[in-house]
C-alpha cells in the first residue's frame, strides 16, 4: 500500500471513529448529566533481529473506546476494545451502573468549556510509512551487523525496528469533537562487549515522527558499539564529594523529576517537595523552561490534552522561578485553579539558558575534576522530601579530560539543592524526548564508591 493510500485509509478511519464517538455521546447523554468519550486506535509493525536473524515480527491494529459519565457529582468509567454497536451499548451500561455505586465528588466533571479545543490546530504529526516487513527486518539487521563488525563486540541483544501510527478522537457533551493522527518510528540496537573477562552492554537508538528523519542503521550500529566499548575496563572510585555532569540522556530524567513534583495530584495531596513553590526560585536565575505543545512534528506536541483542554505555550520556569503547576480538571478544582492542559502528561519542554551554552568538551572543562554520569539505576527518589539517591555508571574526569570508565557507585543529594546548584547546561541537546535538554553540570554531590 502506498503512503497516499495509507493516508486516505487513516482519514476514512478517523471519520468513522468520529461518528462512533458522536453516536456514543448522544446515547449516553440521554441517561446522564454529562459524558466524555475517547478512542485510541493504533496500527503498526514491530520487528526484532538477533545475530542477524529475524526473531519476532508483530503486526498490530487495535482500538479502544473509553467512556466517562457524570450524574449528581458521581462518576463512572468503562472501556472496550470492541467497537461494535452492541459492545459500545454494553460499555455505556457498565459506566452508568458503576456511577450509581460511587460517592459524590464535587470536584469531578467535565472541564471548563471556555478552555476546550473546539478548533484544534494541525500540528503536522502524521508521517506514515509504507515500509514492508523485509525492509524493516533489513534495517534492524544492518544496525546489528555494523555493531558486530567491531572486534570488541562479542554478541548482540538485538536490533529493533518499530513503525506505527495512531488515531486519537475525543468528544464530550459540551459539544467538543476533535481528533488527530500521529506517527512514530524508531530503530535501535543493543550489543555486548567483552575485554579481559569483563562484559558491558549498551545501546543506541533513533526515533522520529517522520521515518525519513531517522538516523541510518549504520549510525545506530556504530553508536551502540562505541557506547558499549567505552565502558570496558570500568574501575571503582572512592567515596567523596565532587561535581557531577549528567549527560543529556540522564539530564532529561533529572528534569523529569520536576514534572512529578509540580503535578496537580502531588500538590493537592501535599506530597511534593515543591509544595507552595509558585513564585519562588527553584532553579538558577539564568534558567528558563518553556513548554511549546505546538511544535510541528514535535515528539511531545498535542493540540489538546486527554480531557479536551486546549494546550497552550507557557513558561514552566521563568528565570529560575516556578510559574505554574501541571493541572488537569480534577486537580485544578481541588486547588481552586483552572486546568493547564496537562491531563495525560507534559508536552515539549525546552530548557534555555541566558548564559552562553557549551559543547560537551567545554562542559568537561568546566567540570575539571569529578564524575560524568551516563546511566542511572534504581528508583531512589523521594517525591515528598526531594531526597535523591541513584546507582550510576559513567566516567572519571580530571583536568577536564575523561580518564577512565567507572561503575558501582551511587550519587546522592536533594533535588531542591541539586536544581539550585546547576552550574551550566550544554548545547548537546537531547531531542528524542518531550524534555529537550543538554548535559547538566551540578557543582557538588555526594558520591558513594568503594
Amino acid at each position: 500500500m502506498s503512503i497516499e493510500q495509507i493516508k486516505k485509509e487513516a482519514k476514512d478511519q478517523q471519520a468513522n471513529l468520529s461518528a462512533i464517538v458522536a453516536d456514543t455521546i448522544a446515547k449516553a447523554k440521554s441517561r446522564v448529566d454529562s459524558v466524555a468519550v475517547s478512542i485510541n486506535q493504533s496500527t503498526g509493525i514491530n520487528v526484532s533481529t538477533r545475530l542477524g536473524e529475524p526473531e519476532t515480527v508483530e503486526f498490530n491494529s487495535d482500538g479502544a473506546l473509553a467512556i466517562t459519565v457524570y450524574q449528581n457529582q458521581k462518576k463512572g468509567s468503562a472501556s472496550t476494545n470492541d467497537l461494535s454497536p452492541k459492545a459500545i451499548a454494553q460499555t455505556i451500561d457498565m459506566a452508568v451502573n458503576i456511577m450509581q455505586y460511587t460517592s459524590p465528588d464535587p470536584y469531578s466533571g467535565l472541564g471548563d468549556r471556555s478552555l476546550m479545543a473546539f478548533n484544534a490546530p494541525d500540528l503536522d504529526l502524521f508521517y506514515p510509512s509504507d515500509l514492508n516487513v523485509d525492509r524493516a527486518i533489513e534495517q534492524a539487521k544492518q544496525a546489528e551487523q555494523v555493531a558486530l563488525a567491531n572486534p570488541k563486540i562479542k554478541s548482540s541483544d538485538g536490533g529493533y525496528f518499530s513503525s506505527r501510527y495512531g488515531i486519537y478522537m475525543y468528544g464530550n457533551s459540551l459539544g467538543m469533537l476533535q481528533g488527530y493522527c500521529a506517527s512514530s518510528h524508531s530503530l535501535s540496537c543493543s550489543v555486548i562487549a567483552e575485554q579481559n573477562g569483563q562484559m558491558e552492554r549498551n545501546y543506541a537508538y533513533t526515533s522520529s515522527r517522520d521515518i525519513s528523519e531517522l538516523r541510518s542503521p549504520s549510525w545506530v550500529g556504530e553508536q551502540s558499539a562505541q557506547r558499549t566499548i567505552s565502558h570496558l575496563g570500568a574501575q571503582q572510585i572512592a567515596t567523596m564529594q565532587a561535581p557531577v555532569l549528567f549527560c543529556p540522556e540522564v539530564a532529561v530524567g533529572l528534569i523529569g523529576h520536576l514534572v512529578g513534583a509540580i503535578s496537580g495530584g502531588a500538590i493537592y495531596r501535599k506530597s511534593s517537595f515543591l509544595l507552595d513553590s509558585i513564585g519562588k526560585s527553584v532553579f538558577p536565575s539564568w534558567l528558563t523552561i518553556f513548554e511549546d505543545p505546538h511544535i510541528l512534528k514535535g515528539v511531545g506536541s498535542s493540540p489538546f490534552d486527554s480531557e479536551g483542554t486546549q494546550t497552550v505555550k507557557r513558561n514552566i520556569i521563568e528565570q529560575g522561578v516556578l510559574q505554574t503547576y501541571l493541572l488537569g480538571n480534577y486537580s485544578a478544582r481541588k486547588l481552586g485553579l483552572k486546568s493547564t492542559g496537562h491531563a495525560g502528561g507534559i508536552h515539549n519542554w525546552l530548557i534555555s539558558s541566558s548564559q552562553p551554552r557549551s559543547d560537551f568538551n567545554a562542559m568537561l572543562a568546566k567540570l575539571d575534576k569529578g564524575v560524568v554520569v551516563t546511566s542511572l539505576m534504581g528508583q531512589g527518589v523521594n517525591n515528598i522530601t526531594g531526597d535523591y539517591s541513584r546507582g550510576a555508571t559513567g566516567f572519571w574526569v580530571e583536568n577536564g579530560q575523561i580518564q577512565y570508565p567507572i561503575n558501582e557507585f551511587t550519587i546522592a543529594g536533594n533535588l531542591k539543592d541539586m536544581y539550585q546548584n546547576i552550574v551550566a547546561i550544554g548545547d548537546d541537546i537531547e531531542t528524542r524526548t518531550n524534555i529537550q535538554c543538554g548535559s547538566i553540570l551540578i557543582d557538588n554531590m555526594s558520591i558513594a564508591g568503594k
Side-chain angles (χ1 to χ4, degrees):
M1 188 183 297
S2 70
I3 290 177
E4 289 306 314
Q5 288 174 315
I6 295 172
K7 287 182 177 180
K8 182 181 183 304
E9 183 178 277
K11 186 176 180 180
D12 292 342
Q13 286 177 327
Q14 185 173 347
N16 180 53
L17 296 178
S18 177
I20 291 174
V21 170
D23 183 62
T24 305
I25 292 170
K27 288 177 178 176
K29 184 64 176 68
S30 65
R31 303 170 60 181
V32 296
D33 291 337
S34 56
V35 57
V37 177
S38 64
I39 294 181
N40 269 304
Q41 183 160 313
S42 176
T43 302
I45 179 175
N46 298 299
V47 304
S48 68
T49 61
R50 193 164 190 277
L51 299 174
E53 294 297 325
E55 191 167 55
T56 62
V57 176
E58 299 175 353
F59 295 93
N60 64 76
S61 181
D62 49 47
L65 177 146
I67 179 170
T68 301
V69 296
Y70 303 94
Q71 179 92 12
N72 299 326
Q73 298 184 337
K74 293 184 176 184
K75 171 185 173 182
S77 298
S79 63
T80 177
N81 56 11
D82 183 349
L83 301 184
S84 69
K86 180 180 179 181
I88 292 174
Q90 291 172 340
T91 306
I92 295 172
D93 290 341
M94 189 181 302
V96 173
N97 290 336
I98 291 171
M99 178 191 69
Q100 293 171 353
Y101 290 97
T102 61
S103 300
D105 186 341
Y107 303 107
S108 67
L110 298 179
D112 188 333
R113 191 180 191 280
S114 66
L115 299 178
M116 296 286 173
F118 289 100
N119 296 296
D122 180 358
L123 301 180
D124 196 26
L125 305 179
F126 189 39
Y127 287 83
S129 166
D130 60 352
L131 204 67
N132 61 34
V133 174
D134 290 339
R135 289 170 58 202
I137 291 172
E138 187 58 35
Q139 296 273 307
K141 284 175 60 177
Q142 187 178 343
E144 262 198 307
Q145 288 166 354
V146 170
L148 288 166
N150 190 301
K152 290 186 179 180
I153 300 299
K154 301 302 181 183
S155 189
S156 170
D157 263 355
Y160 305 89
F161 180 86
S162 172
S163 177
R164 65 180 60 246
Y165 71 85
I167 303 171
Y168 180 69
M169 295 297 309
Y170 174 88
N172 61 39
S173 51
L174 295 175
M176 180 183 166
L177 180 57
Q178 291 286 320
Y180 59 91
C181 298
S183 58
S184 65
H185 314 278
S186 65
L187 173 66
S188 65
C189 181
S190 175
V191 292
I192 300 166
E194 183 178 2
Q195 177 178 286
N196 298 327
Q198 181 192 17
M199 301 180 73
E200 293 288 342
R201 177 189 286 106
N202 217 311
Y203 71 98
Y205 77 99
T206 177
S207 63
S208 178
R209 293 210 180 268
D210 185 345
I211 195 169
S212 69
E213 295 177 0
L214 291 179
R215 302 296 293 263
S216 70
S218 294
W219 181 90
V220 173
E222 289 169 2
Q223 286 293 307
S224 63
Q226 290 304 317
R227 286 163 58 91
T228 306
I229 292 167
S230 68
H231 287 278
L232 287 172
Q235 303 178 34
Q236 292 181 271
I237 54 174
T239 296
M240 67 182 80
Q241 297 284 127
V244 174
L245 178 61
F246 291 79
C247 75
E249 289 179 345
V250 290
V252 163
L254 186 64
I255 298 298
H257 296 305
L258 175 66
V259 177
I262 62 174
S263 66
I267 299 302
Y268 78 70
R269 293 186 184 96
K270 301 186 183 302
S271 59
S272 169
F273 67 91
L274 291 180
L275 194 66
D276 300 321
S277 292
I278 295 289
K280 296 181 180 179
S281 176
V282 176
F283 288 86
S285 60
W286 47 264
L287 187 147
T288 292
I289 300 178
F290 176 64
E291 182 175 59
D292 186 353
H294 301 156
I295 296 174
L296 299 183
K297 290 188 179 182
V299 66
S301 294
S302 177
F304 51 88
D305 72 2
S306 63
E307 296 174 331
T309 301
Q310 183 169 343
T311 53
V312 298
K313 301 176 183 180
R314 71 178 79 230
N315 278 335
I316 306 298
I317 301 290
E318 184 174 351
Q319 296 180 348
V321 176
L322 179 64
Q323 303 296 307
T324 183
Y325 295 132
L326 309 177
L327 308 175
N329 291 321
Y330 188 85
S331 60
R333 291 192 185 103
K334 291 282 282 188
L335 296 167
L337 302 170
K338 290 192 174 184
S339 172
T340 58
H342 287 101
I346 65 168
H347 310 293
N348 303 299
W349 278 19
L350 311 176
I351 289 80
S352 62
S353 168
S354 61
Q355 63 183 20
R357 294 277 194 121
S358 303
D359 63 20
F360 188 71
N361 288 333
M363 293 290 282
L364 288 175
K366 289 180 181 180
L367 171 65
D368 186 44
K369 183 178 181 179
V371 169
V372 172
V373 172
T374 58
S375 65
L376 292 164
M377 294 158 281
Q379 304 296 321
V381 181
N382 188 319
N383 199 57
I384 299 174
T385 64
D387 289 339
Y388 181 99
S389 180
R390 306 283 302 276
T393 60
F395 298 96
W396 177 251
V397 174
E398 288 188 33
N399 300 318
Q401 300 288 326
I402 290 176
Q403 301 299 310
Y404 48 81
I406 53 177
N407 61 11
E408 298 182 14
F409 65 97
T410 300
I411 56 173
N414 184 278
L415 284 168
K416 265 192 173 182
D417 298 329
M418 291 164 65
Y419 287 158
Q420 289 283 6
N421 294 332
I422 293 175
V423 174
I425 294 181
D427 64 4
D428 48 346
I429 298 172
E430 171 60 68
T431 60
R432 296 169 295 185
T433 72
N434 55 6
I435 297 176
Q436 299 194 11
C437 182
S439 51
I440 290 179
L441 176 59
I442 296 177
D443 68 353
N444 189 53
M445 291 188 70
S446 297
I447 299 170
K450 61 182 179 181

